[in-house]
Amino acid sequence: MSRTYCIPGVFFLFSAWFLLFIVSISLPSFEAMDITRVDSSGAVAGNGDEAFTQLRLGIWGYCVDLSSGWTCFKTGHGYSLTFTNAQNAEVTIGSSWTRGLAVLPVACCVAFIALLLSISQHITITLVASLVSFLAALLTLIAFAINIALFAYVKHELGTLNINETTITGPGFWLTFVSLLLLILAGCTVCFGRRRDRMAGANNNSYQLNGPKTGFLSRFGRN
């Protein structure tokens, strides 16, 4: 089977898997790959007693920028975090809001499986690769929805503390969105590529069956 039509799908799958892999590493191993960022000058995070200037929330933990520099906490899957203002008012981001972030590594694994399947030249396996790509896209969509929910909840809760804060989305948030688009494109491209290859094969077979006769006896046939 020709691989001409499936090459874009393999490229999209590799790109999506690579981005999901980077996002899945996340904090604290990769400080720049956070989901939500908070810039503030009047809030304390966790059990500390010093206000942070920036907070980054990742999949496996969070990092705070203090006067002494960056401090990261590897809390693991499903962590909670408490914010306190100068008046000792508190808000807590419960583990139920961060536990779902672990869907991202799962989507990364499924995307890798789809990538391996897409390399095959067997028509049935490429069809399975397309279906697995859509499954990875569904998981990434769920993860992106969780990212949105975490961002919106953190922004809302910190707004109740009456502090000077700015909550924005981190690079991991947008790379998740890009990965979602790439997985959808990959699923469609691999599927359409399989169809184009099958149609091309059918046309070649039809030409061989119905092509002009070139044998010796055909020279004596009627015009």
Side-chain angles (χ1 to χ4, degrees):
M1 184 182 72
S2 174
R3 301 294 299 162
T4 304
Y5 302 114
C6 295
I7 290 177
V10 175
F11 174 76
F12 291 145
L13 272 175
F14 176 80
S15 300
W17 167 77
F18 183 73
L19 294 180
L20 287 174
F21 178 75
I22 294 177
V23 176
S24 297
I25 296 175
S26 192
L27 301 175
S29 300
F30 194 0
E31 294 182 6
M33 200 53 56
D34 53 301
I35 304 300
T36 300
R37 291 186 181 184
V38 179
D39 293 311
S40 175
S41 58
V44 177
N47 298 323
D49 55 1
E50 182 182 354
F52 63 85
T53 57
Q54 188 178 87
L55 168 76
R56 297 180 180 181
L57 299 176
I59 299 176
W60 313 113
Y62 62 93
C63 294
V64 290
D65 188 10
L66 306 173
S67 59
S68 57
W70 281 98
T71 302
C72 294
F73 300 89
K74 188 176 182 179
T75 55
H77 170 228
Y79 59 91
S80 60
L81 185 60
T82 300
F83 297 93
T84 308
N85 63 6
Q87 291 75 34
N88 292 325
E90 295 183 354
V91 294
T92 300
I93 307 299
S95 60
S96 59
W97 294 93
T98 59
R99 186 178 296 113
L101 296 175
V103 177
L104 278 168
V106 177
C108 178
C109 294
V110 176
F112 184 70
I113 294 174
L115 175 62
L116 294 180
L117 293 174
S118 67
I119 299 176
S120 173
Q121 296 186 5
H122 195 278
I123 294 180
T124 303
I125 296 180
T126 55
L127 175 60
V128 175
S130 179
L131 297 177
V132 176
S133 299
F134 287 124
L135 175 60
L138 176 61
L139 292 173
T140 306
L141 176 62
I142 295 173
F144 186 64
I146 294 173
N147 291 353
I148 296 175
L150 176 63
F151 164 74
Y153 186 71
V154 171
K155 186 176 182 63
H156 174 268
E157 290 298 298
L158 290 182
T160 62
L161 290 179
N162 296 322
I163 58 176
N164 184 18
E165 58 83 22
T166 302
T167 304
I168 61 175
T169 53
F173 182 95
W174 293 110
L175 288 186
T176 302
F177 178 68
V178 174
S179 300
L180 172 62
L181 298 181
L182 289 173
L183 286 171
I184 295 175
L185 287 174
C188 295
T189 306
V190 173
C191 182
F192 293 155
R194 173 184 176 276
R195 181 181 179 184
R196 291 289 297 272
D197 285 337
R198 186 175 62 180
M199 292 177 62
N203 291 335
N204 291 335
N205 293 334
S206 176
Y207 177 79
Q208 293 175 359
L209 293 175
N210 301 324
K213 297 180 180 179
T214 57
F216 175 79
L217 295 179
S218 63
R219 299 178 182 179
F220 300 97
R222 295 181 180 180
N223 295 331

Short mmCIF file of all heavy atoms in Angstrom, two decimals, residues 66-98:
data_model
loop_
_atom_site.label_atom_id
_atom_site.label_comp_id
_atom_site.label_asym_id
_atom_site.label_seq_id
_atom_site.Cartn_x
_atom_site.Cartn_y
_atom_site.Cartn_z
N LEU A 66 9.12 33.34 45.13
CA LEU A 66 9.27 34.13 46.34
C LEU A 66 10.48 35.04 46.20
O LEU A 66 11.17 35.02 45.18
CB LEU A 66 9.43 33.21 47.56
CG LEU A 66 8.33 32.16 47.75
CD1 LEU A 66 8.70 31.21 48.89
CD2 LEU A 66 6.99 32.82 48.00
N SER A 67 10.75 35.84 47.23
CA SER A 67 11.91 36.74 47.19
C SER A 67 13.22 35.96 47.12
O SER A 67 14.22 36.46 46.60
CB SER A 67 11.91 37.63 48.43
OG SER A 67 11.94 36.85 49.62
N SER A 68 13.21 34.73 47.61
CA SER A 68 14.41 33.89 47.59
C SER A 68 14.56 33.12 46.29
O SER A 68 15.54 32.40 46.10
CB SER A 68 14.38 32.92 48.77
OG SER A 68 13.20 32.12 48.73
N GLY A 69 13.58 33.20 45.40
CA GLY A 69 13.62 32.49 44.13
C GLY A 69 12.47 31.50 44.01
O GLY A 69 11.53 31.50 44.82
N TRP A 70 12.56 30.66 43.00
CA TRP A 70 11.50 29.69 42.75
C TRP A 70 11.59 28.50 43.70
O TRP A 70 12.67 27.98 43.96
CB TRP A 70 11.59 29.17 41.31
CG TRP A 70 11.02 30.12 40.31
CD1 TRP A 70 11.72 31.00 39.53
CD2 TRP A 70 9.65 30.29 39.98
NE1 TRP A 70 10.86 31.71 38.74
CE2 TRP A 70 9.59 31.30 38.99
CE3 TRP A 70 8.46 29.70 40.42
CZ2 TRP A 70 8.39 31.71 38.44
CZ3 TRP A 70 7.27 30.12 39.86
CH2 TRP A 70 7.23 31.11 38.89
N THR A 71 10.44 28.13 44.23
CA THR A 71 10.32 26.95 45.08
C THR A 71 9.21 26.08 44.53
O THR A 71 8.08 26.54 44.35
CB THR A 71 10.01 27.32 46.54
OG1 THR A 71 11.04 28.18 47.03
CG2 THR A 71 9.93 26.08 47.40
N CYS A 72 9.54 24.81 44.24
CA CYS A 72 8.56 23.90 43.65
C CYS A 72 8.21 22.80 44.64
O CYS A 72 9.05 22.35 45.43
CB CYS A 72 9.10 23.28 42.37
SG CYS A 72 9.33 24.48 41.01
N PHE A 73 6.97 22.35 44.57
CA PHE A 73 6.46 21.31 45.47
C PHE A 73 5.91 20.17 44.61
O PHE A 73 4.96 20.37 43.86
CB PHE A 73 5.37 21.86 46.39
CG PHE A 73 5.83 22.99 47.26
CD1 PHE A 73 5.75 24.31 46.81
CD2 PHE A 73 6.34 22.74 48.52
CE1 PHE A 73 6.18 25.36 47.61
CE2 PHE A 73 6.77 23.78 49.33
CZ PHE A 73 6.69 25.10 48.88
N LYS A 74 6.53 19.01 44.73
CA LYS A 74 6.08 17.83 44.01
C LYS A 74 5.07 17.10 44.87
O LYS A 74 5.41 16.29 45.73
CB LYS A 74 7.26 16.92 43.67
CG LYS A 74 6.87 15.77 42.75
CD LYS A 74 8.09 14.95 42.35
CE LYS A 74 7.69 13.84 41.40
NZ LYS A 74 8.86 13.03 40.97
N THR A 75 3.82 17.43 44.67
CA THR A 75 2.76 16.89 45.51
C THR A 75 2.17 15.61 44.95
O THR A 75 1.51 14.85 45.65
CB THR A 75 1.63 17.92 45.66
OG1 THR A 75 1.19 18.32 44.35
CG2 THR A 75 2.14 19.16 46.39
N GLY A 76 2.38 15.36 43.66
CA GLY A 76 1.83 14.15 43.05
C GLY A 76 0.44 14.39 42.49
O GLY A 76 -0.06 15.52 42.40
N HIS A 77 -0.19 13.29 42.12
CA HIS A 77 -1.49 13.35 41.48
C HIS A 77 -2.58 13.81 42.45
O HIS A 77 -2.71 13.26 43.55
CB HIS A 77 -1.83 11.95 40.93
CG HIS A 77 -3.22 11.81 40.46
ND1 HIS A 77 -4.03 10.76 40.82
CD2 HIS A 77 -3.97 12.60 39.64
CE1 HIS A 77 -5.20 10.89 40.24
NE2 HIS A 77 -5.19 11.99 39.51
N GLY A 78 -3.36 14.79 42.06
CA GLY A 78 -4.49 15.25 42.86
C GLY A 78 -4.08 15.97 44.12
O GLY A 78 -4.23 15.45 45.22
N TYR A 79 -3.59 17.18 43.99
CA TYR A 79 -3.15 17.96 45.15
C TYR A 79 -4.14 19.09 45.43
O TYR A 79 -4.90 19.51 44.54
CB TYR A 79 -1.75 18.53 44.93
CG TYR A 79 -1.63 19.43 43.71
CD1 TYR A 79 -1.83 20.81 43.82
CD2 TYR A 79 -1.32 18.90 42.46
CE1 TYR A 79 -1.72 21.63 42.70
CE2 TYR A 79 -1.22 19.71 41.34
CZ TYR A 79 -1.41 21.08 41.47
OH TYR A 79 -1.32 21.90 40.37
N SER A 80 -4.10 19.58 46.65
CA SER A 80 -4.93 20.73 47.04
C SER A 80 -4.00 21.87 47.47
O SER A 80 -2.85 21.64 47.87
CB SER A 80 -5.87 20.36 48.18
OG SER A 80 -5.15 19.94 49.32
N LEU A 81 -4.52 23.07 47.37
CA LEU A 81 -3.72 24.26 47.67
C LEU A 81 -4.59 25.33 48.29
O LEU A 81 -5.70 25.59 47.81
CB LEU A 81 -3.08 24.78 46.37
CG LEU A 81 -2.11 25.95 46.48
CD1 LEU A 81 -0.92 25.60 47.37
CD2 LEU A 81 -1.64 26.37 45.09
N THR A 82 -4.08 25.94 49.36
CA THR A 82 -4.82 26.98 50.08
C THR A 82 -4.15 28.33 49.89
O THR A 82 -2.92 28.45 50.00
CB THR A 82 -4.90 26.66 51.58
OG1 THR A 82 -5.56 25.40 51.76
CG2 THR A 82 -5.67 27.73 52.33
N PHE A 83 -4.96 29.34 49.60
CA PHE A 83 -4.47 30.71 49.46
C PHE A 83 -4.98 31.55 50.64
O PHE A 83 -6.14 31.42 51.05
CB PHE A 83 -4.96 31.34 48.15
CG PHE A 83 -4.44 30.64 46.92
CD1 PHE A 83 -5.18 29.63 46.31
CD2 PHE A 83 -3.22 30.98 46.37
CE1 PHE A 83 -4.71 28.99 45.19
CE2 PHE A 83 -2.74 30.35 45.24
CZ PHE A 83 -3.49 29.35 44.65
N THR A 84 -4.11 32.42 51.12
CA THR A 84 -4.45 33.28 52.25
C THR A 84 -4.06 34.72 51.92
O THR A 84 -2.97 34.96 51.38
CB THR A 84 -3.72 32.84 53.53
OG1 THR A 84 -3.94 31.45 53.74
CG2 THR A 84 -4.22 33.62 54.73
N ASN A 85 -4.94 35.68 52.27
CA ASN A 85 -4.61 37.09 52.06
C ASN A 85 -4.14 37.71 53.37
O ASN A 85 -3.98 37.04 54.39
CB ASN A 85 -5.80 37.85 51.47
CG ASN A 85 -6.99 37.87 52.41
OD1 ASN A 85 -6.92 37.41 53.56
ND2 ASN A 85 -8.12 38.40 51.93
N ALA A 86 -3.90 39.03 53.35
CA ALA A 86 -3.38 39.73 54.54
C ALA A 86 -4.36 39.72 55.69
O ALA A 86 -3.97 39.87 56.85
CB ALA A 86 -3.01 41.17 54.16
N GLN A 87 -5.64 39.57 55.43
CA GLN A 87 -6.67 39.54 56.46
C GLN A 87 -6.96 38.11 56.94
O GLN A 87 -7.94 37.87 57.65
CB GLN A 87 -7.97 40.17 55.95
CG GLN A 87 -7.88 41.67 55.72
CD GLN A 87 -7.11 42.03 54.47
OE1 GLN A 87 -7.16 41.29 53.47
NE2 GLN A 87 -6.38 43.14 54.50
N ASN A 88 -6.09 37.16 56.55
CA ASN A 88 -6.21 35.75 56.93
C ASN A 88 -7.47 35.07 56.38
O ASN A 88 -7.90 34.05 56.92
CB ASN A 88 -6.18 35.59 58.46
CG ASN A 88 -4.82 35.94 59.04
OD1 ASN A 88 -3.79 35.68 58.42
ND2 ASN A 88 -4.82 36.55 60.22
N ALA A 89 -8.04 35.65 55.35
CA ALA A 89 -9.13 34.97 54.64
C ALA A 89 -8.54 33.89 53.75
O ALA A 89 -7.48 34.08 53.14
CB ALA A 89 -9.94 35.97 53.83
N GLU A 90 -9.20 32.76 53.68
CA GLU A 90 -8.66 31.62 52.95
C GLU A 90 -9.62 31.11 51.88
O GLU A 90 -10.84 31.17 52.04
CB GLU A 90 -8.35 30.47 53.91
CG GLU A 90 -7.25 30.74 54.91
CD GLU A 90 -6.96 29.52 55.76
OE1 GLU A 90 -7.70 28.52 55.63
OE2 GLU A 90 -6.01 29.56 56.56
N VAL A 91 -9.02 30.61 50.81
CA VAL A 91 -9.75 29.85 49.79
C VAL A 91 -8.90 28.63 49.46
O VAL A 91 -7.66 28.69 49.50
CB VAL A 91 -10.03 30.67 48.51
CG1 VAL A 91 -10.98 31.82 48.80
CG2 VAL A 91 -8.74 31.17 47.89
N THR A 92 -9.54 27.54 49.17
CA THR A 92 -8.83 26.29 48.91
C THR A 92 -9.21 25.73 47.54
O THR A 92 -10.39 25.65 47.21
CB THR A 92 -9.14 25.24 49.99
OG1 THR A 92 -8.74 25.74 51.27
CG2 THR A 92 -8.41 23.94 49.72
N ILE A 93 -8.19 25.38 46.78
CA ILE A 93 -8.38 24.67 45.52
C ILE A 93 -8.26 23.19 45.84
O ILE A 93 -7.16 22.68 46.10
CB ILE A 93 -7.34 25.09 44.47
CG1 ILE A 93 -7.32 26.61 44.33
CG2 ILE A 93 -7.62 24.42 43.13
CD1 ILE A 93 -8.60 27.22 43.87
N GLY A 94 -9.37 22.50 45.89
CA GLY A 94 -9.38 21.10 46.30
C GLY A 94 -8.76 20.17 45.28
O GLY A 94 -8.57 20.51 44.10
N SER A 95 -8.44 18.97 45.73
CA SER A 95 -7.82 17.98 44.85
C SER A 95 -8.75 17.53 43.73
O SER A 95 -8.28 17.03 42.71
CB SER A 95 -7.38 16.76 45.69
OG SER A 95 -8.50 16.17 46.34
N SER A 96 -10.04 17.72 43.91
CA SER A 96 -10.98 17.33 42.85
C SER A 96 -10.80 18.17 41.59
O SER A 96 -11.21 17.75 40.51
CB SER A 96 -12.42 17.47 43.36
OG SER A 96 -12.70 18.80 43.76
N TRP A 97 -10.19 19.35 41.75
CA TRP A 97 -9.97 20.23 40.60
C TRP A 97 -8.65 19.95 39.90
O TRP A 97 -8.45 20.39 38.76
CB TRP A 97 -10.03 21.69 41.03
CG TRP A 97 -11.37 22.10 41.49
CD1 TRP A 97 -11.84 22.09 42.78
CD2 TRP A 97 -12.45 22.58 40.69
NE1 TRP A 97 -13.15 22.52 42.82
CE2 TRP A 97 -13.54 22.84 41.55
CE3 TRP A 97 -12.60 22.82 39.32
CZ2 TRP A 97 -14.76 23.31 41.08
CZ3 TRP A 97 -13.81 23.29 38.85
CH2 TRP A 97 -14.88 23.54 39.74
N THR A 98 -7.72 19.26 40.55
CA THR A 98 -6.42 18.97 39.95
C THR A 98 -6.25 17.48 39.62
O THR A 98 -5.36 17.13 38.85
CB THR A 98 -5.29 19.40 40.90
OG1 THR A 98 -5.43 18.70 42.15
CG2 THR A 98 -5.34 20.89 41.16
#
